[in-house]
Amino acid sequence: MSLHARLAELASLGARGAGIERGLFSAPEHAARTRIAAWAREAGLAVEQDRAGNLFVRAGDPDQPPIQCGSHLDTVKEGGAYDGAYGVVGGLEALERIVRSGVALRRPIELVAWAGEEGSRFPLGTLGSSVYAGLTPLRALDALIGDDGVAFSDALHGPTGLLADVPLRDGFPALAAYVELHIEQGPVLERAGARLGIVSAIAGQRRFAVTIDGIAGHAGTLPMAGRADALCAASDLVLAVERAARNVGEAVATVGQLAVEPNQINVVPGRVTLRVDARSADEARIDAIEQRLREAAREIAAARQVRLAVDLLEKRAAVSMNARLRGIVRDVCVRLDPRAFELPSGAGHDAMCIAQVAPAAMIFVPSIGGRSHVGDERTAPEDLALGVDALVATMVMLAAAE
Ligand code: GLV
Ligand code: MN
Ligand code: MN
């Protein structure tokens, strides 16, 4: 089955509204993992899963540290068809091609579909890769409650959690190297007329959960003076976050998720929960945003007579890609596309976790119009194919090497 046909089939799983919705352990996400496992087995490849929900496809010795590639199958709400899915399907095609070619390898090769990269159901992004890399203890997942109120362990052991017919792997074995193929999700390659990019570094990212407790009441009878309106306090905080990122420079911060209770036109909002996502290649800038967020929370709580709690959900350090691997990826990419160049990633990836325990590198292909995390995310088919060529060549070099 072609790369294009597989991506189209995955895109049909969870299609909803203007895009795709495949939260971790939802029915469509389970269906996507099922498809990958079936395609892998059809190709004669061995399939396993682990207790974090990661899915593995391997060719070669099961006991040796592999050369891994991979990405994720979950999406953001109304997400696109390529973010994550491309790296998984492209990785599967790479394994198939390498095995078919009969090239002699010294190391096994492995594809991983990492569980819950987006953090779009459970409040922890790069969930599976952070457990694999030891950044999140496996038992910490038991405390996670999804945005739909379902506990992680119930979802994992439920009908759309672990795959019924796939062996469960114990532990998180060492790997030799990791290469992630991904769409760029920004406009840099397209503007430069390049078809491949070599990722130099991935921006650090911090996520916070904010809870604001005010006092609910009748919208018609409570005088404006003396109200403790949780949504008005939240509005101040959202704007403070925006200002903080603008003032600190070369950083971004976003409030993309907010819930109002009771969310009724004639009731003064009593409670708001929201999440803040702050990123920069420079940790000091993220520190500055966090400091300003916490100061603003204190100021707004006092000024508006609300209770305001800020909790850190997730902290992922900015990370450079491994210099040696990057050099190999650069040589491969420049051979396939003389305009290929190095660029940093503002988006987070599983590679940022795996880079903490093994040499890691990434290959980017252009995103049309730089669009991503939206339903009209696109990459030209010939660029998708070239990215897989680059992954194949890189994996062969790494797996054939001493
Ligand atoms: C993942 O796509 C992220 O950067 O949030
Ligand atoms: Mn992604
Ligand atoms: Mn994403």
Side-chain angles (χ1 to χ4, degrees):
M1 211 172 163
S2 71
L3 182 80
H4 177 76
R6 283 178 172 165
L7 282 169
E9 189 162 332
L10 291 187
S12 72
L13 303 173
R16 185 168 170 169
I20 299 166
E21 188 167 340
R22 275 200 309 263
L24 179 61
F25 303 144
S26 63
E29 190 270 351
H30 180 267
R33 270 181 293 128
T34 304
R35 291 290 203 293
I36 297 296
W39 291 331
R41 282 173 166 160
E42 278 165 24
L45 300 165
V47 182
E48 287 185 335
Q49 59 191 338
D50 68 16
R51 290 172 205 287
N54 298 315
L55 181 71
F56 304 88
V57 175
R58 185 182 280 229
D61 188 338
D63 298 320
Q64 292 299 316
I67 303 299
Q68 266 183 359
C69 62
S71 202
H72 56 97
L73 293 169
D74 68 323
T75 68
V76 295
K77 294 188 176 77
E78 300 200 9
Y82 303 91
D83 176 6
Y86 169 54
V88 175
V89 166
L92 181 59
E93 180 167 313
L95 259 63
E96 289 170 340
R97 280 171 50 182
I98 295 169
V99 169
R100 258 202 321 268
S101 75
V103 61
L105 301 179
R106 290 176 200 274
R107 294 183 185 281
I109 49 177
E110 185 169 78
L111 161 72
V112 194
W114 299 109
E117 190 269 354
E118 298 288 5
S120 55
R121 181 180 184 188
F122 299 97
L124 180 68
T126 50
L127 182 152
S129 54
S130 74
V131 170
Y132 196 91
L135 306 176
T136 302
L138 181 63
R139 64 181 178 284
L141 301 183
D142 290 337
L144 288 182
I145 305 292
D147 291 338
D148 51 3
V150 178
F152 178 87
S153 53
D154 290 340
L156 178 79
H157 297 295
T160 55
L162 290 171
L163 299 180
D165 60 344
V166 170
L168 193 58
R169 183 189 265 195
D170 265 329
F172 305 99
L175 67 150
Y178 178 75
V179 186
E180 183 161 348
L181 176 64
H182 207 284
I183 56 167
E184 184 207 327
Q185 305 183 271
V188 178
L189 292 175
E190 184 183 65
R191 284 184 187 160
R195 298 177 59 202
L196 293 170
I198 305 100
V199 175
S200 53
I202 304 175
Q205 122 186 2
R206 240 169 267 181
R207 291 178 176 176
F208 305 88
V210 178
T211 307
I212 304 171
D213 282 302
I215 299 172
H218 196 295
T221 59
L222 261 185
M224 293 309 286
R227 284 190 182 194
D229 182 323
L231 184 55
C232 289
S235 307
D236 285 345
L237 193 75
V238 170
L239 295 176
V241 166
E242 187 194 37
R243 268 195 305 276
R246 284 186 197 274
N247 291 343
V248 86
E250 289 177 43
V252 291
T254 309
V255 177
Q257 192 171 352
L258 182 148
V260 183
E261 294 175 36
N263 205 22
Q264 158 96 29
I265 188 168
N266 54 353
V267 182
V268 174
R271 170 176 260 221
V272 169
T273 51
L274 60 89
R275 292 192 187 147
V276 181
D277 175 304
R279 308 186 192 206
S280 175
D282 175 359
E283 292 288 331
R285 290 189 158 91
I286 309 181
D287 289 341
I289 293 173
E290 176 171 354
Q291 191 185 343
R292 186 57 208 135
L293 167 66
R294 293 186 185 281
E295 280 167 9
R298 282 192 293 274
E299 290 161 12
I300 294 164
R304 290 193 170 270
Q305 297 296 298
V306 294
R307 268 188 301 132
L308 223 155
V310 178
D311 295 312
L312 181 68
L313 281 176
E314 183 181 330
K315 185 173 180 173
R316 302 270 175 252
V319 62
S320 291
M321 296 291 90
N322 178 271
R324 186 182 69 89
L325 230 59
R326 211 161 113 186
I328 291 171
V329 171
R330 193 187 315 117
D331 290 348
V332 163
C333 289
V334 169
R335 201 163 2 96
L336 292 170
D337 170 22
R339 303 183 85 152
F341 61 91
E342 292 205 355
L343 73 169
S345 173
H349 299 286
D350 293 299
M352 70 199 302
C353 295
I354 301 306
Q356 306 292 339
V357 290
M362 288 192 74
I363 300 166
F364 272 174
V365 293
S367 293
I368 295 174
R371 306 273 296 148
S372 188
H373 279 187
V374 290
D376 63 1
E377 182 179 86
R378 298 277 180 277
T379 293
E382 58 275 19
D383 292 342
L384 294 171
L386 195 68
V388 179
D389 291 345
L391 181 64
V392 168
T394 303
M395 290 190 78
V396 167
M397 284 191 74
L398 294 173
E402 206 54 65

